[in-house]
Amino acid sequence: MPRLREVPRAEVTDERILFFYDRLFGPDRDPAVDHGTATGSPGDWWTVFAQSPEVFRHAVRGFALYRDAKIDPLLRELGQSRAGWARGSQFVFSQHCKQLRALGVPEEKVQAVAYWQTAGCFSELERAVLAYTDGLVLDGGRVHDEIFAVLRRHLTDEEILLLTYVTCLYEMHATMAKALRLEFDDREEPIVEVAAPEGYGSRDIADDIAGDGR
């Protein structure tokens, strides 16, 4: 379950939050109790963000911005899905793979977002967008001039700014979803110690594997 409390319908007074509760879950459901959206996600992003009407409204305005942005939706979704994969958010990655399919993107490309570096199905611009996303997410904004040069050959300055903003916005959502364990990111920490077999004792593992060289 999420790390923060979900806000039940009965406690919501903000009209904008109630609008989305009705739109996504129906007017007769309490999404904090009766989970589930049309995309198969639990929907607890909405009920947790409802803790703060100010944050909720800011976030949904960001969603409206990305949908109305003057940029090819395919490029936008490539950036968002790759941002989810690179940041390790199963929620953001999954939702935007769905959106790629809704745009009619071939399954080959959807699957290859995870390994775009070795995939031959992307155009020069698409590869540059994926590389740019890795620069934003994995390298903290460090992007090689040659990657940026490809973007500039194909996109206007406004389009590049929008692509940058939207991609970074979804890196933020990916990070928050993991930290708060929202939606498909409600997962236990995968890196934990695997206990030694019973009776192993306190032997020095390093000594075991080092040997004497003979």
Side-chain angles (χ1 to χ4, degrees), residues 112 184 198 210:
F184 302 137
E198 185 177 353

Side-chain angles (χ1 to χ4, degrees), residues 146-165:
E146 291 300 318
I147 295 172
F148 210 84
V150 177
L151 296 179
R152 300 206 73 157
R153 283 202 296 272
H154 295 273
L155 303 175
T156 66
D157 285 8
E158 181 183 11
E159 288 172 324
I160 295 173
L161 177 62
L162 287 167
L163 175 67
T164 306
Y165 187 87

Side-chain angles (χ1 to χ4, degrees), residues 17 44 47 54-55 66 79 88 100 104 107 110 124 131 135-136 140 156 160 165 168-169 175 205:
I17 296 175
D44 55 34
T47 53
E54 294 79 14
V55 171
Y66 100 77
L100 283 169
E107 188 65 23
V110 177
E124 178 189 55
L136 295 173
T156 66
I160 295 173
Y165 187 87
C168 289
L169 176 66
T175 299
I205 298 174

Side-chain angles (χ1 to χ4, degrees), residues 12-21 45-66 165 169-170 172-173 176:
V12 176
T13 58
D14 184 88
E15 292 183 359
R16 193 63 173 162
I17 296 175
L18 284 172
F19 169 82
F20 278 98
Y21 273 27
W45 184 98
W46 303 91
T47 53
V48 167
F49 268 60
Q51 294 280 348
S52 169
E54 294 79 14
V55 171
F56 189 102
R57 285 173 174 264
H58 189 274
V60 297
R61 281 198 296 269
F63 298 151
L65 167 68
Y66 100 77
Y165 187 87
L169 176 66
Y170 273 81
M172 180 195 75
H173 281 298
M176 292 184 70

Side-chain angles (χ1 to χ4, degrees), residues 1-212:
M1 60 186 299
R3 282 173 160 164
L4 299 182
R5 187 178 73 93
E6 298 182 68
V7 180
R9 179 183 288 274
E11 295 181 20
V12 176
T13 58
D14 184 88
E15 292 183 359
R16 193 63 173 162
I17 296 175
L18 284 172
F19 169 82
F20 278 98
Y21 273 27
D22 290 347
R23 181 182 180 91
L24 296 173
F25 303 96
D28 300 323
R29 289 174 59 195
D30 181 351
V33 177
D34 187 6
H35 293 106
T37 68
T39 64
S41 67
D44 55 34
W45 184 98
W46 303 91
T47 53
V48 167
F49 268 60
Q51 294 280 348
S52 169
E54 294 79 14
V55 171
F56 189 102
R57 285 173 174 264
H58 189 274
V60 297
R61 281 198 296 269
F63 298 151
L65 167 68
Y66 100 77
R67 289 303 299 267
D68 297 334
K70 299 175 183 177
I71 187 170
D72 183 345
L74 166 59
L75 302 180
R76 179 194 75 204
E77 293 299 329
L78 283 176
Q80 288 169 294
S81 57
R82 180 64 190 181
W85 193 92
R87 185 48 65 217
S89 169
Q90 193 163 22
F91 176 53
V92 171
F93 177 65
S94 297
Q95 296 302 86
H96 291 280
C97 284
K98 294 180 180 71
Q99 191 60 28
L100 283 169
R101 292 189 185 95
L103 293 171
V105 175
E107 188 65 23
E108 180 187 19
K109 284 188 176 182
V110 177
Q111 294 296 321
V113 167
Y115 52 89
W116 70 267
Q117 300 94 332
T118 59
C121 56
F122 296 111
S123 69
E124 178 189 55
L125 175 57
E126 291 165 353
R127 290 179 63 82
V129 166
L130 291 161
Y132 187 53
T133 300
D134 281 1
L136 295 173
V137 177
L138 297 177
D139 294 325
R142 187 182 182 193
V143 177
H144 198 282
D145 285 344
E146 291 300 318
I147 295 172
F148 210 84
V150 177
L151 296 179
R152 300 206 73 157
R153 283 202 296 272
H154 295 273
L155 303 175
T156 66
D157 285 8
E158 181 183 11
E159 288 172 324
I160 295 173
L161 177 62
L162 287 167
L163 175 67
T164 306
Y165 187 87
V166 168
T167 303
C168 289
L169 176 66
Y170 273 81
E171 181 196 5
M172 180 195 75
H173 281 298
T175 299
M176 292 184 70
K178 290 175 62 183
L180 301 178
R181 290 192 176 172
L182 302 176
E183 307 288 356
F184 302 137
D185 290 318
D186 181 15
R187 299 182 291 162
E188 295 297 321
E189 171 58 52
I191 308 302
V192 296
E193 180 187 2
V194 176
E198 185 177 353
Y200 183 81
S202 57
R203 289 171 56 184
D204 185 344
I205 298 174
D207 187 58
D208 285 348
I209 65 176
D212 61 4

